[in-house]
Amino acid sequence: MKKANITYDKANMLAPLTRAYLRNEKEISHLFNFESTTENVERIIDQRKKLSPINRTVLVDALKAQYANFTTSKKVNSNINKLSNIDTYTVVTGHQLNLFTGPLYFIYKIISAIKAAKELNEKYSQYHFVPVYWMATEDADFEEINHTFVNNEKLVWDSKQTGMVGEFSTSDIQSVISSLNSVLADNISANEIKDLMHQAYVNHSNLADATRYLVNELFKNDGLVIIDGNSKKLKELFSPVVKDELLHKSSYKLVSETISSFSLNYSAQVAPREINLFYAIQGVRERIIETENGFEVNDTDINFSETQILEELKNHPERFSPNVILRPVYQEMILPNVMYIGGGAELAYWLELKSLFDYHKISYPLLQIRNSFLVMDGNSVKKVLQCCLSLEELFLPENDQVSILLKGDNPFQEKLLKHKKDVDHKISTLIREIEEFDPALIPSLKSTKAGFLSELRKLDKKIKRSVKRKNSTKLNRLSAIRKEMYPGGSYQERRTNVIQMLLPYGMNFLETIKQNTDPFDKNMTILYPDDMDLKRDK
């Protein structure tokens, strides 16, 4: 496929804070250490060496335990073993356990991490870099992940289970597997997908294992290592931060101070709580709240004195789960990471956290925006060419696009505008002249003016409707383009599932994305067929 690039600004993507970061603006330079470039990776490595070392033995043992019942590639096993070496580092991305991988950007994030690690390995022969996917198994917002869209059909996993989604049993998932099978046709590509999803979700007992299997099958040949933070041994390493959070509430103070330093141009992506921890046991993941007598777990009868909760932390560190504020700290505390790859919203909340990392003496990584793609088929490109829209115009609001398409087809638009100005000028002049003669006549004149202008506006609307009727073919093409670009009102990558791309392109789709991913690029990429030329030709 061919590709064309467009800046995130022109694509109307990303929050102002993230855009400022990508532009390396001085105003927010206190929110990160270094700009994300390959040259600055070595500076991050030097920074890591000066801080507390990673417990690589615990990390590797935990990963081997998590992979114990999985068959994977030699490259993955090699990468896990290499993490024992002090010259091995990671490039991490993280994501929720969305059904069937969820929206396309999940795939784009992982491939961005894979390509970044590959590029760093080529640049720094003295080090080794491992791509890592952090599974958000401790997330409890099931309604965010229990559905996906394939061929514009919403597939939903209905379940009454509660608690951390990684622990959800897949015993009640067969109905949504059946729904997927009914949506897909009966051909080689579809049958391969059906078999893959069956193997992942029916042959594994919980959502964490199902997701590990699925992602491993897709990316094992790239050496992707998948980690589950829901581990007692790994949580033991995190216990000092948990204890500080319970006793001193440091993250609330530090992150609040950072947010208060934002100019009016930026807003916080997430707000810290006084205690940014959950208590998690089977079927429960609820906030820990400080009380007069100690601590309680929200919406439960569970409570602790200070002594009891510290004893609980000592005996069961796995029961303390970080929220969105502390999860990055946990991740960087247990992984020898140099770079985190995320979407615009993720980078925005990471930029709130640097002071928290400094406080805990944990290395703050480079932050890199994931690659974004819009995939267009031949029919859509033809419609773009027929509409004579440029790349920049493709991302304009719909009303602006309609104006561009209909420009020149309304011979009365400029004439009506001229008449409006003439009427306004002439009656305003008349009002000033008559006002000295008889002020009582002014209301009548103003009413006449308002009525005439109102009739002109009505006529303008009627003419525009007529122009739209005469240009229905153009507008229908625009509507079809927008449905592909913004299915359900969202960007394609935020709604469409990878299955929809695997059906026409097969597994070659993943290779196409890999070939066109530039991990350090700061533009959105449009992919379209090789035999077409996506350019404006009037």
Side-chain angles (χ1 to χ4, degrees):
M1 299 183 84
K2 288 183 179 178
K3 73 174 182 178
N5 290 329
I6 184 170
T7 65
Y8 286 112
D9 284 346
K10 290 181 179 178
N12 294 310
M13 299 179 78
L14 308 182
L17 182 59
T18 306
R19 292 187 191 184
Y21 170 73
L22 295 181
R23 290 192 291 264
N24 198 25
E25 292 187 1
K26 291 183 179 180
E27 183 182 10
I28 64 163
S29 61
H30 64 290
L31 301 180
F32 58 96
N33 284 329
F34 311 112
E35 183 182 6
S36 184
T37 64
T38 56
E39 290 73 22
N40 282 334
V41 166
E42 200 151 31
R43 297 173 75 179
I44 293 293
I45 290 174
D46 290 341
Q47 172 184 279
R48 275 203 161 276
K49 289 177 179 178
K50 296 173 184 177
L51 298 171
S52 300
I54 298 296
N55 193 322
R56 293 174 180 269
T57 300
V58 171
L59 173 61
V60 171
D61 287 348
L63 284 169
K64 287 182 176 179
Q66 291 177 9
Y67 272 91
N69 298 318
F70 290 83
T71 300
T72 190
S73 67
K74 290 182 179 179
K75 194 168 184 179
V76 170
N77 289 327
S78 174
N79 275 343
I80 291 174
N81 288 325
K82 284 181 179 179
L83 285 169
S84 296
N85 190 317
I86 60 171
D87 289 324
T88 295
Y89 297 92
T90 60
V91 176
V92 179
T93 192
H95 199 70
Q96 297 164 293
L97 310 188
N98 292 75
L99 182 67
F100 306 145
T101 74
L104 274 167
Y105 71 85
F106 169 68
I107 299 296
Y108 300 159
K109 288 170 76 171
I110 288 180
I111 291 178
S112 293
I114 289 169
K115 288 294 293 285
K118 183 175 184 293
E119 188 165 324
L120 294 179
N121 279 322
E122 292 170 353
K123 182 176 179 62
Y124 295 104
S125 59
Q126 69 272 39
Y127 304 115
H128 183 69
F129 298 90
V130 175
V132 173
Y133 161 47
W134 179 287
M135 294 197 297
T137 59
E138 297 180 56
D139 185 45
D141 196 342
F142 183 58
E143 291 185 357
E144 278 194 2
I145 67 156
N146 74 336
H147 62 279
T148 196
F149 294 88
V150 179
N151 292 339
N152 294 319
E153 291 284 337
K154 186 177 183 180
L155 307 178
V156 182
W157 175 16
D158 289 316
S159 181
K160 303 299 182 184
Q161 298 177 73
T162 58
M164 297 190 293
V165 296
E167 296 180 346
F168 276 27
S169 168
T170 53
S171 59
D172 59 358
I173 204 171
Q174 183 60 55
S175 61
V176 72
I177 296 290
S178 299
S179 297
L180 174 65
N181 292 342
S182 66
V183 167
L184 300 181
D186 189 14
N187 55 49
I188 294 176
S189 292
N191 291 338
E192 287 179 353
I193 293 167
K194 292 175 186 177
D195 181 64
L196 177 60
M197 297 306 170
H198 182 91
Q199 292 289 337
Y201 291 93
V202 176
N203 292 354
H204 293 88
S205 61
N206 61 59
L207 185 57
D209 286 349
T211 304
R212 182 187 295 276
Y213 175 86
L214 177 56
V215 176
N216 180 65
E217 286 300 301
L218 294 175
F219 297 109
K220 62 186 178 184
N221 292 332
D222 300 292
L224 180 74
V225 172
I226 302 164
I227 187 168
D228 183 352
N230 186 19
S231 158
K232 183 174 182 177
K233 291 295 184 182
L234 295 177
K235 288 285 184 72
E236 284 176 350
L237 302 178
F238 186 55
S239 291
V241 174
V242 174
K243 182 177 180 180
D244 178 88
E245 184 72 5
L246 292 170
L247 298 182
H248 305 299
K249 299 185 280 292
S250 301
S251 58
Y252 177 75
K253 300 170 187 174
L254 292 165
V255 177
S256 295
E257 288 174 1
T258 297
I259 292 173
S260 67
S261 74
F262 285 2
S263 73
L264 296 177
N265 297 324
Y266 312 117
S267 57
Q269 184 66 33
V270 294
R273 297 185 180 276
E274 288 195 355
I275 296 178
N276 293 279
L277 294 167
F278 293 94
Y279 185 75
I281 54 176
Q282 186 63 43
V284 173
R285 185 184 185 246
E286 292 288 346
R287 288 190 295 119
I288 298 173
I289 301 171
E290 187 174 30
T291 65
E292 291 182 1
N293 300 318
F295 302 87
E296 66 181 21
V297 179
N298 191 47
D299 287 340
T300 72
D301 295 327
I302 303 172
N303 56 74
F304 303 94
S305 67
E306 182 179 298
T307 301
Q308 289 171 331
I309 203 167
L310 294 180
E311 188 67 19
E312 182 78 354
L313 173 61
K314 179 180 178 181
N315 296 328
H316 298 286
E318 74 279 6
R319 295 179 180 176
F320 294 82
S321 177
N323 75 351
V324 66
I325 296 290
L326 282 177
R327 188 203 64 77
V329 176
Y330 176 36
Q331 170 189 299
E332 299 301 309
M333 194 172 188
I334 65 174
L335 290 172
N337 195 40
V338 295
M339 180 181 296
Y340 183 77
I341 293 180
E346 284 178 289
L347 264 55
Y349 81 71
W350 273 77
L351 288 168
E352 299 177 23
L353 307 179
K354 181 178 175 295
S355 62
L356 187 57
F357 278 78
D358 292 343
Y359 172 79
H360 286 294
K361 294 181 173 56
I362 297 170
S363 178
Y364 188 78
L366 299 179
L367 302 179
Q368 180 61 41
I369 192 75
R370 65 170 173 81
N371 278 198
S372 286
F373 291 91
L374 168 64
V375 183
M376 303 188 76
D377 62 21
N379 288 331
S380 292
V381 174
K382 286 179 182 177
K383 291 181 175 67
V384 172
L385 297 175
Q386 289 167 341
C387 290
C388 296
L389 290 171
S390 68
L391 284 179
E392 289 79 6
E393 290 167 348
L394 269 179
F395 295 89
L396 290 174
E398 186 172 10
N399 288 340
D400 292 344
Q401 290 176 326
V402 170
S403 296
I404 291 169
L405 291 188
L406 302 184
K407 186 178 181 180
D409 290 329
N410 184 351
F412 299 100
Q413 190 166 3
E414 291 186 5
K415 293 179 181 179
L416 282 174
L417 181 61
K418 182 178 182 302
H419 286 313
K420 288 178 185 178
K421 291 180 178 179
D422 288 345
V423 169
D424 184 72
H425 175 71
K426 289 178 180 179
I427 296 182
S428 296
T429 300
L430 185 60
I431 287 172
R432 288 194 298 272
E433 292 173 351
I434 290 180
E435 190 169 21
E436 294 181 3
F437 172 71
D438 187 354
L441 297 174
I442 301 304
S444 176
L445 276 172
K446 287 184 175 180
S447 177
T448 300
K449 173 184 174 181
F452 192 80
L453 291 176
S454 175
E455 290 302 316
L456 283 179
R457 284 193 293 270
K458 290 178 183 177
L459 178 60
D460 188 26
K461 289 180 180 179
K462 289 179 181 179
I463 291 173
K464 286 179 178 177
R465 284 196 293 269
S466 176
V467 171
K468 286 183 177 180
R469 282 195 300 271
K470 292 179 179 180
N471 289 275
S472 59
T473 300
K474 284 184 181 180
L475 296 177
N476 287 339
R477 288 172 186 154
L478 176 61
S479 178
I481 294 167
R482 292 189 66 84
K483 282 182 180 178
E484 183 166 355
M485 289 182 64
Y486 307 105
S490 299
Y491 285 95
Q492 180 193 74
E493 65 178 31
R494 299 197 65 82
R495 179 179 170 99
T496 302
N497 187 278
V498 69
I499 291 172
Q500 198 161 319
M501 297 299 174
L502 296 178
L503 289 172
Y505 302 113
M507 289 299 172
N508 285 334
F509 174 74
L510 298 181
E511 294 306 314
T512 298
I513 297 299
K514 290 173 192 175
Q515 290 169 11
N516 289 283
T517 293
D518 182 346
F520 296 96
D521 190 23
K522 296 179 181 178
N523 295 293
M524 183 182 185
T525 300
I526 299 97
L527 296 177
Y528 58 98
D530 284 325
D531 59 349
M532 308 196 78
D533 193 6
L534 187 57
K535 65 180 181 180
R536 188 170 186 170
D537 186 16
K538 284 194 171 181

